[in-house]
């Protein structure tokens, strides 16, 4: 079977530029949080199309031009220490389809490229591991983001990368409920051996088992594994249910599932069999402004959940589908569909988080530190970027 690979760079860049964050409406609990800036650095003289922060490690800041494989390394004063790339037919090559970096226990860079496989590189670009792709797959086109779509974890002394590759399993050419029922949605690769295992079928009660079929974008698992508690927290992109697994053993065991009352989040009931093709990522003209789970991060004992709601104006959405919407209507719908972020407490309290304007509509959590970028002036070709970091504070 020939793989279907859809990755449209111009769409991704446009998605980044057209989206923005806003303060969330208050939830049932009156307390709320905001992001307090602690410090920042300015990166100057940067010539890059999609310049995104990758992480901070041992006094160095790493960035990438996501429209290429250029990597930039800065010191704590914002001075450029090194720049390298992995373009062309070279060992360890990766492309714009590669994920954000993670850092392994030796300080190496780990990334997943859906076209070229998993790469483990030293900070100076020297190749440690250069793994092939696991299986033919359908890529999931999405806006460039600081959010991670994979996670590097340690279990029993070994290092693994957990991720979704939106794989096309062997199947009989039928995209039907039976296919979804037997599908596993999470992959884990051993970074020493490249041995990859599949985990997590749709749990009983998931709306993906309701007899309908879905765009592949709806199925992607959004997750966070907590090494201390050995708990895996997982939500599927278009389903507002938090599944909690005990992953202290070889296989994750479901121990809890809870519907999260995310304001404005609308559950999509799917298509009749045959209405959409296997591997179709999505179709904005058929289904504009879908509700999406974007990210789950552990912050202290709490979970940060970011998502986009669906606007309430059904007639306005219908006018978009019919290509009759005015610019004013489109702007209003975009405003209603801006990303929201909430803090979920272990006791179930759901608290509003007010965020500043974020470049690439996303942030990166590292322990109790949150990193984000300032959006350059859209009217100028910026060669200067600002990276902020801070922490959540109660209002």
């Amino acid at each position: 079977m020939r793989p279907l690979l859809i990755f449209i760079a111009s769409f991704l860049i446009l998605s980044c530029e057209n989206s923005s964050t806003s303060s969330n409406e208050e939830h049932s609990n009156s307390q709320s949080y905001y992001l307090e800036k602690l410090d920042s650095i300015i990166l100057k003289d940067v010539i890059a199309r999609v310049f995104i922060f990758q992480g901070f490690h041992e006094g160095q800041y790493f960035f990438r031009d996501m429209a290429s494989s250029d990597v930039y390394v800065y010191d704590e004063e914002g001075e450029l220490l090194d720049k390298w790339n992995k373009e062309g037919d070279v060992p360890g090559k990766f492309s714009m389809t590669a994920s954000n970096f993670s850092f392994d226990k030796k300080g190496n860079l780990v990334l997943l490229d859906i076209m070229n496989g998993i790469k483990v590189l030293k900070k100076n670009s020297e190749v440690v591991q250069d793994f092939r792709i696991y299986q033919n797959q359908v890529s999931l086109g999405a806006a460039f983001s600081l959010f991670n779509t994979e996670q590097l974890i340690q279990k029993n002394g070994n290092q693994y990368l957990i991720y979704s590759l939106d794989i096309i399993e062997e199947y009989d050419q039928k995209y039907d409920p039976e296919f979804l029922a037997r599908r596993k949605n999470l992959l884990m690769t051993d970074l020493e051996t490249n041995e990859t295992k599949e985990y997590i079928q749709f749990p009983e009660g998931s709306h993906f088992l309701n007899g309908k079929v879905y765009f592949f974008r709806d199925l992607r698992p959004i997750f966070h594994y907590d090494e201390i508690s050995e708990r895996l927290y997982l939500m599927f992109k278009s389903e507002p249910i938090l599944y909690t697994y005990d992953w202290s053993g070889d296989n994750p065991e479901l121990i809890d599932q809870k519907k999260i009352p995310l304001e404005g989040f609308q559950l999509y009931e799917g298509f009749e069999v045959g209405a959409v093709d296997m591997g179709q990522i999505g179709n904005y003209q058929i289904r504009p402004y879908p509700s999406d789970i974007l990210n789950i991060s552990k912050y202290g004992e709490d979970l940060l959940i970011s998502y986009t709601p669906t606007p309430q104006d059904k007639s306005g959405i219908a006018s978009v589908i019919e290509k009759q919407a005015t610019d004013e209507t489109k702007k209003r719908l975009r405003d209603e569909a801006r990303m929201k972020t909430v803090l979920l407490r272990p006791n179930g309290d759901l608290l509003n988080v007010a965020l500043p304007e974020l470049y690439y509509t996303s942030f990166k959590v590292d322990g109790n530190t949150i990193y984000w970028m300032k959006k350059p002036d859209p009217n100028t070709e910026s060669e200067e970027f600002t990276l902020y970091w801070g922490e959540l504070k109660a209002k």
Side-chain angles (χ1 to χ4, degrees):
M1 177 180 58
R2 185 178 180 181
L4 173 65
L5 182 60
I6 303 176
F7 195 97
I8 305 175
S10 59
F11 166 75
L12 302 187
I13 296 172
L14 183 62
S15 298
C16 295
E17 298 302 326
N18 286 344
S19 56
S20 59
T21 56
S22 66
S23 299
N24 307 330
E25 299 289 335
E26 291 193 346
H27 291 79
S28 57
N29 192 306
S30 60
Q31 187 180 21
S32 61
Y33 281 76
Y34 69 97
L35 187 50
E36 180 179 72
K37 184 187 80 170
L38 297 179
D39 210 340
S40 64
I41 59 169
I42 297 175
L43 299 314
K44 296 183 178 180
D45 302 320
V46 177
I47 307 298
R49 291 180 61 197
V50 189
F51 191 68
I52 292 187
F53 175 61
Q54 297 293 289
F56 175 77
H57 191 266
E58 295 181 345
Q60 296 179 337
Y61 296 90
F62 290 78
F63 291 79
R64 268 179 61 201
D65 180 357
M66 300 292 281
S68 67
S69 67
D70 289 340
V71 176
Y72 303 76
V73 186
Y74 293 87
D75 65 16
E76 293 185 88
E77 303 301 319
E79 297 296 325
L80 183 65
L81 298 175
D82 195 9
K83 180 184 176 183
W84 49 266
N85 70 62
K86 286 292 183 180
E87 294 179 349
D89 189 15
V90 299
K93 69 176 181 180
F94 60 88
S95 67
M96 63 187 298
T97 63
S99 67
N100 290 328
F101 294 162
S102 300
F103 295 92
D104 71 9
K105 59 186 177 183
K106 295 181 180 179
N108 298 318
L109 310 174
V110 180
L111 68 152
L112 167 70
D113 188 327
I114 59 175
M115 295 180 66
N116 297 297
I118 294 175
K119 315 296 172 183
V120 182
L121 308 171
K122 292 186 178 180
K123 294 177 181 177
N124 65 0
S125 82
E126 182 180 335
V127 177
V128 178
Q129 296 283 15
D130 190 354
F131 293 140
R132 66 188 184 280
I133 60 172
Y134 170 61
Q135 191 171 338
N136 292 337
Q137 66 238 251
V138 175
S139 77
L140 189 66
F144 293 115
S145 173
L146 274 71
F147 292 142
N148 288 327
T149 55
E150 74 299 312
Q151 186 180 0
L152 185 62
I153 69 170
Q154 296 191 44
K155 285 178 65 66
N156 303 320
N158 296 326
Q159 293 188 108
Y160 301 92
L161 193 70
I162 53 176
Y163 56 100
S164 164
L165 267 185
D166 307 311
I167 62 174
I168 301 176
E169 299 90 336
E170 293 300 324
Y171 75 110
D172 59 5
Q173 305 299 316
K174 292 182 180 179
Y175 180 36
D176 55 22
E178 288 70 29
F179 169 82
L180 292 179
R182 66 177 180 267
R183 180 178 200 266
K184 294 184 179 179
N185 297 286
L186 200 68
L187 303 182
M188 183 170 78
T189 297
D190 187 316
L191 289 188
E192 288 291 332
T193 66
N194 199 29
E195 179 185 10
T196 300
K197 296 181 179 180
E198 302 173 15
Y199 298 96
I200 310 291
Q201 292 178 278
F202 294 115
E204 183 178 351
S206 169
H207 85 296
F208 292 111
L209 302 177
N210 67 1
K212 303 292 182 65
V213 293
Y214 297 83
F215 289 137
F216 251 45
R217 63 175 304 286
D218 298 319
L219 309 180
R220 167 163 264 185
I222 308 298
F223 56 87
H224 180 86
Y225 176 74
D226 179 34
E227 292 184 359
I228 296 176
S229 65
E230 297 185 291
R231 295 290 191 265
L232 174 71
Y233 302 97
L234 183 146
M235 302 177 77
F236 295 101
K237 200 167 176 62
S238 70
E239 184 181 57
I241 297 177
L242 177 66
Y243 298 101
T244 304
Y245 294 83
D246 179 348
W247 206 349
S248 56
D250 291 336
N251 295 294
E253 301 290 338
L254 182 65
I255 58 175
D256 187 45
Q257 59 187 79
K258 180 183 303 182
K259 184 174 182 179
I260 308 300
L262 301 174
E263 182 178 6
F265 198 101
Q266 293 185 8
L267 193 65
Y268 185 70
E269 292 302 326
F271 297 93
E272 297 298 330
V273 176
V276 295
D277 295 330
M278 171 69 182
Q280 187 173 350
I281 294 172
N283 188 320
Y284 184 82
Q285 281 304 128
I286 294 175
R287 193 169 143 232
Y289 312 105
S291 294
D292 275 342
I293 304 298
L294 301 177
N295 187 66
I296 301 175
S297 296
K298 193 78 184 293
Y299 188 80
E301 296 300 314
D302 307 320
L303 290 177
L304 274 173
I305 301 174
S306 295
Y307 71 100
T308 52
T310 296
Q312 298 298 308
D313 183 359
K314 304 307 177 190
S315 62
I317 294 176
S319 69
V320 171
I321 294 174
E322 296 165 0
K323 299 182 179 180
Q324 296 179 353
T326 64
D327 290 343
E328 181 183 355
T329 297
K330 292 177 182 178
K331 181 181 183 304
R332 176 165 44 80
L333 293 175
R334 285 197 301 269
D335 289 343
E336 290 184 34
R338 288 177 176 175
M339 185 184 82
K340 296 176 180 287
T341 298
V342 294
L343 190 74
L344 180 63
R345 286 283 172 77
N347 65 3
D349 284 348
L350 196 64
L351 310 177
N352 171 68
V353 177
L355 297 174
E357 185 177 25
L358 307 175
Y359 197 27
Y360 305 115
T361 323
S362 54
F363 52 84
K364 185 178 293 292
V365 179
D366 185 359
N368 288 325
T369 301
I370 298 177
Y371 294 91
W372 70 98
M373 295 181 68
K374 178 182 178 181
K375 186 174 182 179
D377 183 348
N379 299 315
T380 62
E381 184 176 347
S382 178
E383 297 180 4
E384 180 176 296
F385 295 83
T386 304
L387 175 70
Y388 297 102
W389 56 92
E391 59 188 14
L392 292 183
K393 293 287 188 180
K395 285 188 177 180

